[in-house]
């Protein structure tokens, strides 16, 4: 039997982010919380508008500060029962240096865990990523992977490594004794590639398609299958994980475990996902990669070498890296069976509904771009 979030004081970090903001929305709309605290380094206008709409429903506290500030974290966690930690620096092409990534994604998580222990925060959910697994540098595929799968994970990229170490810290903290003698309960959720309204990656691909006469660039081979997940289903999984943590029959199942989070979106390449979402808007996708994959790999290697040579003078983030190329062109799919078994997770949104909602949002972006073009 799952628990309830009624009367719970919850802190959401990264609350202005793509996933964090949607978690805040769902908690405010559907849960009878005792209090909600929203935290981010910079609070977006969109988040503040959401908070304004619900300020009469439950006590809301807005916290603006850095995840690397231990004093700020200690104050933020006082009196909290549940932390949902989505805050992270996301970097797919090496734009951010390793020290910054580790300080935010790993050290910030460690500081937050310590603040929970000091403040007797009982429950902690970490938003991880499938990139803590891979793909590895060999591009070895995974088909319908599960939590018990052993995969030779030779991560060649700082972002995935920072998330992997942070997840380890979260799971190892499960069972830590709190100041009041209780114990910390933690779990980690590993979403696959997340799409939906507000996705910065989808918006980037859309802008590139507009510059390419309404045609998405082919960035992944048709046969390189991923299982994208709709943002609404990722958020729903977080709520179910929180309920399960507080349920007498489910708390021990979920404690100290990680879960792959995906849904029933058809398995397809990243490029074909873009096309599936943009087809009704008249957008097309290129038939093949710009050049053969081995040649693309060589180009990415050269770009990385140039970036390395220029580093003493300035930071050049190559638009294509070997890691990104492998990520986009490796079959990497997972199953959500364990999440269903342990926390009752089933996708709340069907593929048809997720596609409709996302395409409608994409249409508004296209309209904005056309208005911007008229003003130039």
């Amino acid at each position: 039997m799952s628990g309830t979030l009624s009367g719970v004081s919850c802190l959401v970090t990264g609350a202005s982010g793509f996933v964090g903001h949607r978690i805040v929305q769902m908690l405010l709309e559907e849960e009878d919380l005792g209090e909600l605290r929203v935290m981010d380094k910079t609070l977006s206008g969109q988040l503040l508008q959401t908070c304004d709409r619900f300020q009469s429903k439950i006590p809301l506290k807005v916290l603006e500060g850095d995840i690397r500030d231990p004093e700020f974290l200690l104050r933020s966690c006082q009196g909290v029962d549940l932390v949902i930690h989505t805050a992270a620096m996301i970097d797919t092409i090496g734009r951010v240096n390793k020290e910054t990534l580790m300080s935010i994604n790993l050290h910030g998580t460690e500081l937050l865990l310590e603040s929970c222990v000091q403040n007797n925060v009982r429950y902690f959910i970490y938003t991880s990523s499938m990139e803590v697994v891979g793909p590895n540098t060999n591009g070895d595929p995974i088909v319908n992977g599960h939590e018990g799968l052993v995969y030779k994970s030779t991560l060649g990229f700082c972002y995935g490594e920072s998330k992997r170490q942070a997840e380890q810290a979260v799971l190892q903290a499960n069972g830590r004794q709190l100041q009041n003698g209780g114990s910390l309960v933690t779990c980690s959720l590993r979403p696959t590639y997340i799409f939906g309204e507000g996705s910065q990656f989808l918006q980037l691909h859309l802008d590139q398609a507009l510059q390419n006469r309404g045609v998405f660039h082919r960035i992944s081979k048709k046969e390189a299958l991923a299982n994208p997940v709709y943002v609404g289903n990722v958020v729903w999984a977080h709520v179910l994980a929180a309920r399960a943590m507080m349920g007498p029959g489910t708390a021990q199942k979920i404690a100290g475990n990680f879960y792959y989070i995906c849904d029933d979106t058809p398995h397809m390449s990243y490029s074909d996902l873009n096309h599936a979402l943009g087809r009704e808007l008249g957008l097309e996708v290129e038939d093949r990669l710009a050049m053969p994959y081995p040649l693309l790999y060589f180009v990415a290697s050269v770009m990385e070498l140039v970036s390395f040579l220029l580093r003493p003078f300035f930071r050049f983030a190559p638009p294509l890296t070997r890691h990104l190329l492998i990520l986009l062109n490796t079959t990497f799919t997972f199953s959500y069976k364990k999440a269903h078994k342990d926390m009752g997770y089933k996708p709340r949104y069907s593929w048809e509904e997720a596609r409709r909602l996302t395409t409608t949002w994409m249409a508004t972006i296209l309209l904005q771009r056309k208005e911007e073009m008229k003003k130039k």
Side-chain angles (χ1 to χ4, degrees), residues 29 53 107 110 116 124 317 337 342 359:
E29 288 169 357
R53 281 193 290 122
H107 186 53
E110 291 172 335
C116 289
F124 191 105
K337 285 183 180 178
D342 288 2
T359 300

Side-chain angles (χ1 to χ4, degrees), residues 129-145 149 151-155 190-193 223-228 260 262 267-270 323 326-335:
S129 165
M130 72 169 188
E131 286 198 56
V132 304
V133 183
N136 61 24
T137 51
N138 296 328
D140 295 323
I142 289 179
V143 178
N144 290 326
L149 177 71
Y151 179 77
K152 189 178 180 183
S153 198
T154 51
L155 299 178
R190 295 179 179 176
T192 52
Y193 173 72
E223 62 270 24
L225 302 181
N227 61 330
Y260 290 111
C262 44
H267 294 184
M268 65 185 98
S269 76
Y270 292 99
H323 167 79
I326 291 170
L327 176 68
L328 295 173
N329 287 279
T330 300
T331 291
F332 226 58
T333 64
F334 296 88
S335 164

Side-chain angles (χ1 to χ4, degrees), residues 98-208:
K98 181 178 181 179
E99 292 73 23
T100 302
L101 273 173
M102 287 295 183
S103 68
I104 294 172
N105 295 351
L106 174 58
H107 186 53
T109 300
E110 291 172 335
L111 288 173
L112 185 59
L113 286 166
E114 189 58 39
S115 297
C116 289
V117 170
Q118 296 300 320
N119 282 289
N120 302 310
V121 177
R122 185 74 192 279
Y123 305 103
F124 191 105
I125 298 172
Y126 179 61
T127 308
S128 187
S129 165
M130 72 169 188
E131 286 198 56
V132 304
V133 183
N136 61 24
T137 51
N138 296 328
D140 295 323
I142 289 179
V143 178
N144 290 326
H146 54 83
E147 287 77 359
L149 177 71
V150 178
Y151 179 77
K152 189 178 180 183
S153 198
T154 51
L155 299 178
F157 201 59
C158 292
Y159 170 69
E161 183 59 29
S162 70
K163 293 291 285 185
R164 185 185 70 81
Q165 291 189 33
E167 182 186 80
Q168 282 184 336
V170 170
L171 299 182
Q172 288 170 2
N174 183 68
R176 273 191 67 181
Q177 187 171 352
L178 306 177
Q179 290 294 307
N180 63 1
S183 59
L184 183 63
V185 180
T186 71
C187 78
S188 177
L189 305 185
R190 295 179 179 176
T192 52
Y193 173 72
I194 309 172
F195 72 94
E197 314 92 283
S199 164
Q200 60 177 325
F201 298 112
L202 189 52
Q203 188 163 329
L204 174 64
H205 296 318
L206 188 56
D207 286 337
Q208 290 172 343

Side-chain angles (χ1 to χ4, degrees), residues 65 181 310:
L310 291 175

Side-chain angles (χ1 to χ4, degrees), residues 256-269:
N257 288 325
F258 67 86
Y259 296 89
Y260 290 111
I261 304 299
C262 44
D263 57 21
D264 298 327
T265 298
H267 294 184
M268 65 185 98
S269 76

